[in-house]
Amino acid sequence: KQEVTQIPAALSVPEGENLVLNCSFTDSAIYNLQWFRQDPGKGLTSLLLIQSSQREQTSGRLNASLDKSSGRSTLYIAASQPGDSATYLCAPHSRQLTFGSGTQLTVLP
Amino acid sequence: SQTIHQWPATLVQPVGSPLSLECTVEGTSNPNLYWYRQAAGRGLQLLFYSVGIGQISSEVPQNLSASRPQDRQFILSSKKLLLSDSGFYLCAWSVFREKLFFGSGTQLSVL
């Protein structure tokens, strides 16, 4: 059974900082891994999808990396903004997507 | 473009009452459809998924059921709600092993 851990559980940073969110998973036999963003009381928005054959994927200020053999992924956010405040979840896709509990990010103006 | 509609946004129901949540997808054919639940302070739990009309797979035993009467319609039901059914219910769709797209969710409170 896939288990997903996200560290830290919560993070508060001043605006403009670069930051890294971590995700680890126990079953490395995955097809892909997605990173999602969730605003309070809202659904999830897919940010990036990394296929198992890829090492990283970029979208704007976001960069996600994947080390499938070690069961790790990171989400790098450059030049953080208050609008980035949300909960970020990673979800490796083995038999099904399994979600971590998320990192709650607060970017202070 | 593809869109997903989920309603209602909020729902307050007494214990023992029935439930019906509906989700529809536009702009794609034969999507995989999913129902997730997010309880307060907990992660997302996959409840049901469907790869086609009438094909439902259940991930956890519970008093909920799901149906897919049409290609792009997914319904979550219960005959009698329990207090433990309270939570945030999310419908989602994808094509095979690609990005997962979520609806806006239904906040269900069972009192």
Side-chain angles (χ1 to χ4, degrees):
Chain A
K1 178 186 173 185
Q2 181 74 277
E3 294 182 5
V4 182
T5 303
Q6 290 191 244
I7 295 173
L11 182 62
S12 183
V13 300
E15 181 176 5
E17 270 203 12
N18 302 325
L19 55 100
V20 175
L21 308 181
N22 297 292
C23 170
S24 61
F25 47 95
T26 55
D27 182 0
S28 61
I30 63 171
Y31 302 110
N32 57 53
L33 183 144
Q34 289 187 60
W35 281 92
F36 293 87
R37 168 188 172 136
Q38 186 176 26
D39 294 286
K42 305 291 185 183
L44 281 71
T45 301
S46 180
L47 298 173
L48 291 163
L49 180 148
I50 313 177
Q51 299 292 350
S52 61
S53 58
Q54 296 178 313
R55 298 285 294 185
E56 65 178 61
Q57 192 70 247
T58 298
S59 176
R61 295 182 293 108
L62 305 179
N63 176 276
S65 67
L66 175 64
D67 184 344
K68 195 176 77 162
S69 61
S70 66
R72 294 172 188 253
S73 178
T74 62
L75 179 67
Y76 175 82
I77 303 177
S80 58
Q81 303 171 358
D84 295 330
S85 299
T87 297
Y88 291 81
L89 300 100
C90 73
H93 189 166
S94 41
R95 189 177 72 87
Q96 291 291 347
L97 267 76
T98 302
F99 286 82
S101 297
T103 294
Q104 186 174 351
L105 172 65
T106 303
V107 181
L108 304 170
Chain B
S1 64
Q2 301 91 354
T3 56
I4 179 169
H5 302 280
Q6 186 181 345
W7 67 92
T10 59
L11 192 58
V12 180
Q13 292 284 101
V15 169
S17 64
L19 173 73
S20 181
L21 302 180
E22 188 166 341
C23 171
T24 59
V25 179
E26 296 178 357
T28 187
S29 296
N30 197 30
N32 292 341
L33 297 173
Y34 306 83
W35 278 111
Y36 286 87
R37 177 170 61 200
Q38 190 174 36
R42 298 178 64 181
L44 267 77
Q45 180 185 38
L46 178 62
L47 302 175
F48 301 96
Y49 68 94
S50 171
V51 298
I53 296 174
Q55 300 178 60
I56 309 294
S57 296
S58 173
E59 289 294 301
V60 292
Q62 62 222 324
N63 70 322
L64 300 172
S65 62
S67 62
R68 186 170 177 174
Q70 300 180 42
D71 180 44
R72 290 168 288 179
Q73 183 185 28
F74 206 23
I75 298 172
L76 182 70
S77 304
S78 174
K79 293 182 179 178
K80 288 186 177 181
L81 284 168
L82 307 173
L83 287 173
S84 58
D85 291 324
S86 293
F88 192 49
Y89 288 82
L90 289 155
C91 180
W93 75 272
S94 73
V95 295
F96 185 63
R97 293 178 189 166
E98 292 299 324
K99 278 190 176 182
L100 192 63
F101 297 93
F102 282 85
S104 54
T106 296
Q107 184 64 52
L108 173 65
S109 299
V110 183
L111 305 177

